């Protein structure tokens, strides 16, 4: 099942499956009306909109439970369809960021790669936030809420000891000492995943409700001594003044 599946076909299938499970005599006219109305009224392809009627759970709990499970299963298939085209890219990004880690407030290469990709997607990109932070706004084609999604970009002063082809061999200075640098806390994966999410959502921009702010935060592990940075500095510079997320 894809995001473009006709809603009327889904409604018909859902009603048939509910009837098969709870028995046709237990599917009342009110249940049919609620489900049919949900399909007719919604402008989105997302199946949780089926259960927009708050009294369905109390009136017919078996039908409500089935609706929720049906919605979750089919939403997962929709999400997988969006994610599959970017799976390989997310893996490549994660390994690239892992191989070339950077300490807090020094994420120059990382932020450059992030910026280039976000701009290639047509997003509104702002750079240099809290030193090396990047934010980008994706405006959907339909009205809806504003949400914010965040990934942290900095690595740790840790020497990697592995023979992986993408192992880090980076070094830097931390508190006056020469150190190895490694993504030992998963931030390489966080950045890769959020880039993938941005690409997947940008691909359905016309159908997307609301707006999304993508935040690529520097110095999550803490800024260098004597410097400001991280989430606190991004907020101090007003990222939520310009874009007020609702979630």
């Amino acid at each position: 099942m894809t995001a473009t599946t006709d809603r009327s076909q889904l409604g018909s299938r859902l009603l048939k499956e509910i009837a098969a499970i709870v028995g046709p005599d237990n599917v009342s006219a009110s249940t049919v009306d609620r489900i049919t109305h949900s399909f007719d009224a919604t402008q989105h392809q997302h199946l949780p909109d089926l259960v927009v009627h708050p009294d369905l759970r109390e009136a017919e709990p078996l039908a409500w439970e089935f609706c929720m499970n049906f919605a979750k299963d089919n939403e997962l298939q929709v999400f997988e369809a969006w994610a599959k085209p970017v799976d390989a890219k997310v893996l490549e990004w994660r390994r690239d960021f892992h191989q070339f880690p950077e300490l807090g407030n020094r994420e120059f290469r990382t932020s450059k790669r992030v910026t280039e990709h976000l701009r290639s997607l047509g997003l509104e990109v702002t750079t240099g936030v809290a030193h090396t932070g990047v934010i980008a706004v994706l405006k959907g084609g339909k009205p809806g809420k504003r949400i914010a999604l965040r990934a942290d970009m900095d690595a740790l002063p840790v020497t990697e000891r592995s023979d992986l082809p993408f192992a880090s061999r980076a070094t830097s200075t931390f508190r006056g000492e020469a150190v190895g640098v490694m993504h030992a806390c998963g931030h390489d994966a966080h950045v890769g995943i959020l880039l993938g999410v941005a690409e997947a959502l940008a691909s359905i921009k016309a159908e997307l409700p609301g707006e999304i702010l993508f935040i690529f935060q520097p110095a999550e592990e803490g800024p260098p001594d004597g410097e400001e940075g991280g989430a606190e500095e991004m907020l101090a510079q007003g990222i939520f003044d310009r874009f007020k997320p609702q979630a």
Side-chain angles (χ1 to χ4, degrees):
M1 186 170 299
T2 69
T4 57
T5 303
D6 184 76
R7 289 194 299 275
S8 63
Q9 293 177 354
L10 288 173
S12 176
R13 174 186 164 190
L14 178 59
L15 287 169
K16 289 178 180 178
E17 294 193 17
I18 290 176
I21 290 177
V22 304
D25 295 336
N26 295 321
V27 182
S28 69
S30 61
T31 298
V32 174
D33 288 343
R34 290 186 182 104
I35 292 173
T36 303
H37 174 74
S38 295
F39 272 105
D40 291 342
T42 182
Q43 296 300 309
H44 309 300
Q45 300 291 341
H46 305 302
L47 289 171
D49 291 332
L50 291 171
V51 288
V52 295
H53 301 277
D55 58 336
L56 181 60
R57 180 174 186 175
E58 288 72 23
E60 301 190 54
L62 287 177
W64 180 86
E65 182 177 357
F66 185 84
C67 280
M68 293 302 294
N69 290 334
F70 183 93
K72 290 176 182 177
D73 290 346
N74 284 275
E75 280 290 273
L76 180 60
Q77 293 180 46
V78 171
F79 294 149
E80 288 176 345
W82 293 341
K84 188 173 182 180
V86 299
D87 278 351
K89 290 183 179 181
V90 170
L91 180 61
E92 186 276 327
W93 285 323
R94 182 261 163 178
R95 290 182 174 181
D96 177 77
F97 294 131
H98 187 89
Q99 188 172 4
F100 300 101
E102 298 168 298
L103 295 177
N105 284 2
R106 304 293 185 271
E107 305 94 334
F108 303 117
R109 180 184 182 276
T110 303
S111 63
K112 183 175 184 292
R113 286 215 65 188
V114 166
T115 298
E116 289 173 349
H117 187 65
L118 295 175
R119 284 181 172 157
S120 76
L121 299 175
L123 276 60
E124 300 175 8
V125 181
T126 302
T127 62
V129 184
H131 300 288
T132 50
V134 181
I135 60 174
V137 176
L138 172 61
K139 294 183 177 180
K142 297 182 178 181
K145 294 184 177 181
R146 285 181 154 189
I147 67 171
L149 302 174
R150 182 191 70 94
D152 27 27
M153 299 190 296
D154 56 325
L156 289 165
V158 174
T159 299
E160 180 162 1
R161 303 187 186 282
S162 78
D163 296 323
L164 293 170
F166 53 89
S168 169
R169 299 292 179 256
T171 59
S172 187
T173 302
F174 181 75
R175 293 179 177 173
E177 296 184 10
V179 294
V181 182
M182 177 186 177
H183 274 296
C185 199
H187 296 185
D188 48 347
H190 297 173
V191 176
I193 290 168
L194 193 56
L195 286 176
V197 170
E199 180 165 331
L201 294 179
S203 73
I204 58 163
K205 177 180 178 180
E207 294 298 316
L208 189 70
E211 299 179 1
I212 300 174
L213 175 67
F214 297 96
I215 303 170
F216 292 85
Q217 178 197 319
E220 190 273 340
E221 303 289 352
D225 291 344
E227 296 183 18
E228 302 294 333
E232 184 176 1
E233 182 63 16
M234 295 189 90
L235 291 172
Q237 292 186 14
I239 64 168
F240 286 170
D241 294 337
R242 300 190 296 271
F243 183 103
K244 297 184 183 297
Q246 296 169 283

